[in-house]
Amino acid sequence: MLPRESTPRAVLACGEVRTCLLPARQALDIRSAAQLLALRADERVLLSERPGLYARSPDTLTGVDCPLPSANGARIRAVGTVAAHAALTEGRVLQTSAHFRLPATGPDQRRPWGEYLVRPGVVEPLGKLPHEAVAQGVLGGGRHGDLDVGLIADGLLTRLLRHALLDQRPPFRSRPTRLRWVALPAAPGDGPSIERFTLAEDELRTVRLRVPDGTTGADLAALCDDLALHDWLLTTVVRMLDGIRLGGSAAQDATAVVRALRPAVDHLLHLWMPRARVARELAPLWDPLEERPGFSRQWQALVQRIRDQLTLQAIPAPHREVESVP
């Protein structure tokens, strides 16, 4: 086995997360979750029951040798490995995530593959890295043939969605979302910050972060998994409410409202736990999202609307007595 070399200091980290409803009528229990996420025979699935049921697969590595996305059109060849994992929350929400880190400079020539394998999740440029241009290029989506971590996350998601454990009968309709992120170093002495959080078209979200030197790729991936999970929850519940007719008085309208909102109560409302699995050093990144746009305020308002509607539908409509005319 080759000796493990020290990981070079990263000046840019990039990743993408896919989040979707697990296509199964019943939520998976902890044993089934472990079976679903057993991506490698040599490492166990991480399981946790507090503060909620959570399962995370071991990392898988994908070797890459291709140009990096770049906003200025520069062709920067990079070689290394992209780390990917999958996670299941409460046996119901499935996520796949792929990410890598980039050092400021790399060798002028390609190294043997063994030297890249001892640095999992690190992709080295050949020469100097124009980190700002690459950060913009990653968030913009890059060109055909550029390194695309979204394809790696998609491939893992496709593999899991075909698992024999899944009966392909989700309890309600929903759409998957994508969260694409980059993280650059914060100024010395500064804490972590979110420079930009954008809701784009086609279910895409983009996040640009500043983080202290030494922040690990695993911690960044966990933070972005958490952001993606809660954004998906908000998006899904908003669509549930938008897709029904509220305020109707007919019996069939009441039945439709209950049928549409019941899945939110059964499967989603208890999943809201921001920062539950985020490293302490990165937890403050949630603060600006709570202030504006106000993730938790919006969530609580949605929860209250759902509960109010279900309460109203449970109250029998008053009947007027009509006197007979002789």
Side-chain angles (χ1 to χ4, degrees):
M1 180 179 292
L2 291 170
R4 187 181 184 88
E5 299 184 18
S6 59
T7 300
R9 177 178 175 270
V11 296
L12 181 63
C14 311
E16 198 157 327
V17 187
R18 299 289 189 269
T19 307
C20 70
L21 182 70
L22 192 73
R25 175 61 62 180
Q26 298 294 329
L28 298 189
D29 60 26
I30 197 163
R31 290 185 179 181
S32 297
Q35 185 178 349
L36 174 72
L37 301 183
L39 302 182
R40 293 174 52 177
D42 60 335
E43 287 194 39
R44 299 178 63 181
V45 175
L46 173 66
L47 301 174
S48 173
E49 295 185 358
R50 300 289 185 274
L53 180 62
Y54 177 80
R56 184 189 183 281
S57 77
D59 281 347
T60 62
L61 298 179
T62 300
V64 295
D65 181 349
C66 56
L68 294 168
S70 175
N72 62 12
R75 302 291 286 182
I76 308 103
R77 181 182 174 189
V79 187
T81 59
V82 175
H85 67 266
L88 188 64
T89 301
E90 289 291 349
R92 179 52 70 195
V93 182
L94 178 63
Q95 294 182 284
T96 57
S97 173
H99 62 92
F100 63 94
R101 292 172 294 151
L102 286 158
T105 58
D108 293 331
Q109 295 182 344
R110 188 185 184 281
R111 304 173 189 264
W113 264 117
E115 297 187 29
Y116 296 106
L117 293 176
V118 296
R119 299 187 184 97
V122 174
V123 175
E124 284 188 339
L126 297 189
K128 187 176 180 181
L129 177 73
H131 56 274
E132 182 59 42
V134 171
Q136 293 179 25
V138 168
L139 292 180
R143 301 159 297 190
H144 179 71
D146 288 349
L147 175 55
D148 187 347
V149 288
L151 290 179
I152 296 174
D154 265 338
L156 180 54
L157 182 62
T158 299
R159 171 184 170 184
L160 292 173
L161 292 179
R162 294 172 177 168
H163 200 284
L165 281 170
L166 308 180
D167 60 17
Q168 307 302 323
R169 298 173 59 208
F172 58 92
R173 292 184 178 180
S174 65
R175 299 180 191 173
T177 57
R178 301 178 291 150
L179 185 141
R180 185 181 297 154
W181 59 270
V182 299
L184 296 100
D190 286 355
S193 63
I194 294 181
E195 290 189 338
R196 190 179 307 118
F197 183 94
T198 304
L199 303 182
E201 71 283 354
D202 300 326
E203 320 303 325
L204 173 66
R205 287 84 171 97
T206 61
V207 183
R208 181 182 167 106
L209 306 167
R210 291 280 180 179
V211 296
D213 187 24
T215 303
T216 68
D219 284 347
L220 282 168
L223 166 74
C224 293
D225 286 358
D226 194 52
L227 295 178
L229 170 65
H230 290 85
D231 172 77
W232 182 86
L233 289 170
L234 271 176
T235 302
T236 301
V237 173
V238 165
R239 286 183 178 139
M240 281 183 172
L241 284 164
D242 287 346
I244 62 175
R245 177 185 171 189
L246 297 179
S249 58
Q252 57 268 29
D253 291 335
T255 301
V257 169
V258 173
R259 185 184 301 114
L261 295 182
R262 180 67 181 269
V265 178
D266 291 344
H267 303 287
L268 302 182
L269 298 192
H270 61 293
L271 302 186
W272 191 262
M273 297 182 188
R275 300 183 243 212
R277 293 181 174 85
V278 175
R280 182 176 301 178
E281 296 78 11
L282 297 179
L285 285 168
W286 259 100
D287 293 340
L289 296 176
E290 297 291 28
E291 294 171 6
R292 184 177 180 182
F295 270 42
S296 289
R297 286 199 307 273
Q298 183 182 7
W299 179 258
Q300 292 302 326
L302 293 171
V303 170
Q304 191 58 52
R305 284 184 65 194
I306 290 172
R307 289 174 175 166
D308 288 347
Q309 285 299 318
L310 293 178
T311 299
L312 286 173
Q313 306 309 328
I315 299 174
H319 296 282
R320 290 184 301 171
E321 294 184 2
V322 180
E323 295 183 359
S324 59
V325 178

